[in-house]
CSV table of all heavy atoms in Angstrom, one decimal:
chain,number,residue,atom,x,y,z
A,2,ASP,N,-16.3,-15.5,-26.7
A,2,ASP,CA,-16.3,-14.8,-28.0
A,2,ASP,C,-15.7,-15.7,-29.1
A,2,ASP,O,-14.8,-16.4,-28.8
A,2,ASP,CB,-15.4,-13.5,-27.9
A,2,ASP,CG,-15.5,-12.5,-29.0
A,2,ASP,OD1,-16.5,-12.5,-29.7
A,2,ASP,OD2,-14.5,-11.8,-29.2
A,3,LEU,N,-16.4,-15.6,-30.3
A,3,LEU,CA,-16.0,-16.5,-31.4
A,3,LEU,C,-16.1,-15.8,-32.6
A,3,LEU,O,-16.9,-15.0,-33.0
A,3,LEU,CB,-17.0,-17.7,-31.4
A,3,LEU,CG,-16.9,-18.8,-32.4
A,3,LEU,CD1,-15.6,-19.6,-32.1
A,3,LEU,CD2,-18.0,-19.7,-32.5
A,4,SER,N,-15.0,-16.1,-33.5
A,4,SER,CA,-15.0,-15.6,-34.8
A,4,SER,C,-14.5,-16.8,-35.7
A,4,SER,O,-14.1,-17.8,-35.2
A,4,SER,CB,-14.1,-14.4,-35.0
A,4,SER,OG,-12.7,-14.8,-35.0
A,5,TYR,N,-14.5,-16.6,-37.0
A,5,TYR,CA,-13.9,-17.6,-37.9
A,5,TYR,C,-12.4,-17.8,-37.8
A,5,TYR,O,-11.8,-18.7,-38.3
A,5,TYR,CB,-14.4,-17.5,-39.3
A,5,TYR,CG,-14.0,-16.3,-40.0
A,5,TYR,CD1,-12.9,-16.4,-40.9
A,5,TYR,CD2,-14.7,-15.2,-40.0
A,5,TYR,CE1,-12.4,-15.3,-41.5
A,5,TYR,CE2,-14.3,-14.1,-40.7
A,5,TYR,CZ,-13.2,-14.2,-41.5
A,5,TYR,OH,-12.7,-13.1,-42.2
A,6,THR,N,-11.7,-16.8,-37.1
A,6,THR,CA,-10.3,-17.0,-37.0
A,6,THR,C,-9.8,-17.4,-35.6
A,6,THR,O,-8.7,-17.8,-35.5
A,6,THR,CB,-9.6,-15.6,-37.3
A,6,THR,OG1,-10.1,-14.6,-36.4
A,6,THR,CG2,-9.9,-15.2,-38.8
A,7,GLY,N,-10.7,-17.3,-34.6
A,7,GLY,CA,-10.3,-17.7,-33.3
A,7,GLY,C,-11.4,-17.5,-32.3
A,7,GLY,O,-12.5,-17.2,-32.6
A,8,ALA,N,-11.0,-17.6,-31.0
A,8,ALA,CA,-12.0,-17.5,-29.9
A,8,ALA,C,-11.4,-17.0,-28.6
A,8,ALA,O,-10.1,-17.1,-28.4
A,8,ALA,CB,-12.5,-18.9,-29.7
A,9,ARG,N,-12.1,-16.5,-27.7
A,9,ARG,CA,-11.8,-16.2,-26.3
A,9,ARG,C,-12.5,-17.1,-25.5
A,9,ARG,O,-13.8,-17.2,-25.7
A,9,ARG,CB,-12.1,-14.7,-25.9
A,9,ARG,CG,-11.2,-13.7,-26.6
A,9,ARG,CD,-11.4,-12.3,-26.0
A,9,ARG,NE,-12.8,-12.0,-25.9
A,9,ARG,CZ,-13.3,-11.2,-25.1
A,9,ARG,NH1,-12.6,-10.6,-24.1
A,9,ARG,NH2,-14.6,-10.8,-25.1
A,10,ILE,N,-11.8,-17.9,-24.7
A,10,ILE,CA,-12.5,-18.9,-23.9
A,10,ILE,C,-12.2,-18.7,-22.4
A,10,ILE,O,-11.0,-18.6,-22.0
A,10,ILE,CB,-11.9,-20.3,-24.3
A,10,ILE,CG1,-12.1,-20.5,-25.8
A,10,ILE,CG2,-12.5,-21.4,-23.5
A,10,ILE,CD1,-11.3,-21.7,-26.4
A,11,ALA,N,-13.2,-18.8,-21.6
A,11,ALA,CA,-13.1,-18.8,-20.1
A,11,ALA,C,-12.6,-20.1,-19.6
A,11,ALA,O,-13.2,-21.1,-19.9
A,11,ALA,CB,-14.4,-18.4,-19.5
A,12,VAL,N,-11.5,-20.1,-19.0
A,12,VAL,CA,-10.9,-21.3,-18.5
A,12,VAL,C,-11.2,-21.5,-17.0
A,12,VAL,O,-10.9,-20.6,-16.2
A,12,VAL,CB,-9.3,-21.3,-18.8
A,12,VAL,CG1,-8.7,-22.6,-18.3
A,12,VAL,CG2,-9.0,-21.1,-20.2
A,13,PRO,N,-11.8,-22.6,-16.7
A,13,PRO,CA,-12.1,-22.9,-15.2
A,13,PRO,C,-10.9,-22.9,-14.4
A,13,PRO,O,-9.8,-23.4,-14.8
A,13,PRO,CB,-12.8,-24.3,-15.3
A,13,PRO,CG,-13.1,-24.5,-16.7
A,13,PRO,CD,-12.2,-23.7,-17.5
A,14,GLU,N,-11.0,-22.3,-13.2
A,14,GLU,CA,-9.9,-22.2,-12.2
A,14,GLU,C,-9.4,-23.6,-12.0
A,14,GLU,O,-10.1,-24.6,-11.9
A,14,GLU,CB,-10.3,-21.6,-10.9
A,14,GLU,CG,-9.2,-21.0,-10.2
A,14,GLU,CD,-9.8,-20.1,-9.0
A,14,GLU,OE1,-10.6,-19.2,-9.2
A,14,GLU,OE2,-9.4,-20.4,-7.9
A,15,GLY,N,-8.1,-23.8,-11.8
A,15,GLY,CA,-7.5,-25.1,-11.6
A,15,GLY,C,-7.2,-26.0,-12.8
A,15,GLY,O,-6.8,-27.2,-12.7
A,16,THR,N,-7.5,-25.5,-14.0
A,16,THR,CA,-7.4,-26.3,-15.2
A,16,THR,C,-6.0,-26.4,-15.6
A,16,THR,O,-5.6,-27.4,-16.3
A,16,THR,CB,-8.2,-25.6,-16.4
A,16,THR,OG1,-9.6,-25.4,-16.0
A,16,THR,CG2,-8.1,-26.4,-17.7
A,17,GLY,N,-5.1,-25.5,-15.2
A,17,GLY,CA,-3.7,-25.6,-15.6
A,17,GLY,C,-3.3,-24.3,-16.2
A,17,GLY,O,-4.1,-23.4,-16.3
A,18,SER,N,-2.1,-24.2,-16.6
A,18,SER,CA,-1.6,-23.0,-17.3
A,18,SER,C,-1.4,-23.2,-18.7
A,18,SER,O,-1.2,-24.3,-19.2
A,18,SER,CB,-0.3,-22.5,-16.6
A,18,SER,OG,0.7,-23.5,-16.7
A,19,TYR,N,-1.4,-22.2,-19.4
A,19,TYR,CA,-1.2,-22.2,-20.9
A,19,TYR,C,-0.1,-21.2,-21.3
A,19,TYR,O,0.0,-20.2,-20.6
A,19,TYR,CB,-2.5,-21.8,-21.7
A,19,TYR,CG,-3.6,-22.8,-21.4
A,19,TYR,CD1,-4.5,-22.7,-20.5
A,19,TYR,CD2,-3.7,-23.9,-22.4
A,19,TYR,CE1,-5.5,-23.6,-20.3
A,19,TYR,CE2,-4.7,-24.9,-22.1
A,19,TYR,CZ,-5.6,-24.7,-21.1
A,19,TYR,OH,-6.6,-25.5,-20.9
A,20,ALA,N,0.7,-21.5,-22.3
A,20,ALA,CA,1.7,-20.6,-22.7
A,20,ALA,C,1.5,-20.2,-24.2
A,20,ALA,O,0.9,-20.8,-25.0
A,20,ALA,CB,3.1,-21.4,-22.7
A,21,LYS,N,1.9,-18.9,-24.4
A,21,LYS,CA,1.7,-18.3,-25.8
A,21,LYS,C,2.4,-19.3,-26.8
A,21,LYS,O,3.5,-19.8,-26.5
A,21,LYS,CB,2.4,-17.0,-25.8
A,21,LYS,CG,2.1,-16.2,-27.0
A,21,LYS,CD,2.7,-14.8,-26.9
A,21,LYS,CE,2.3,-14.0,-28.2
A,21,LYS,NZ,2.8,-12.6,-28.0
A,22,GLY,N,1.7,-19.5,-27.8
A,22,GLY,CA,2.2,-20.5,-28.9
A,22,GLY,C,1.8,-21.9,-28.7
A,22,GLY,O,2.1,-22.7,-29.6
A,23,GLN,N,1.3,-22.3,-27.5
A,23,GLN,CA,1.0,-23.7,-27.2
A,23,GLN,C,-0.2,-24.1,-28.0
A,23,GLN,O,-1.1,-23.4,-28.3
A,23,GLN,CB,0.6,-23.8,-25.7
A,23,GLN,CG,0.2,-25.1,-25.3
A,23,GLN,CD,-0.2,-25.2,-23.8
A,23,GLN,OE1,0.0,-24.3,-23.0
A,23,GLN,NE2,-0.8,-26.3,-23.4
A,24,ALA,N,-0.1,-25.4,-28.5
A,24,ALA,CA,-1.2,-25.9,-29.3
A,24,ALA,C,-2.3,-26.4,-28.4
A,24,ALA,O,-2.0,-27.0,-27.3
A,24,ALA,CB,-0.6,-27.1,-30.2
A,25,VAL,N,-3.5,-26.2,-28.7
A,25,VAL,CA,-4.6,-26.8,-28.0
A,25,VAL,C,-5.7,-27.3,-28.9
A,25,VAL,O,-5.8,-26.9,-30.1
A,25,VAL,CB,-5.3,-25.6,-27.1
A,25,VAL,CG1,-4.4,-25.1,-26.0
A,25,VAL,CG2,-5.8,-24.4,-28.0
A,26,SER,N,-6.4,-28.3,-28.5
A,26,SER,CA,-7.5,-28.9,-29.3
A,26,SER,C,-8.8,-28.3,-28.9
A,26,SER,O,-9.1,-28.1,-27.7
A,26,SER,CB,-7.4,-30.5,-29.0
A,26,SER,OG,-8.5,-31.1,-29.7
Side-chain angles (χ1 to χ4, degrees):
D2 188 24
L3 179 67
S4 75
Y5 65 91
T6 60
R9 284 188 316 149
I10 303 166
V12 179
E14 203 171 306
T16 301
S18 62
Y19 296 90
K21 189 174 183 177
Q23 179 180 350
V25 293
S26 180

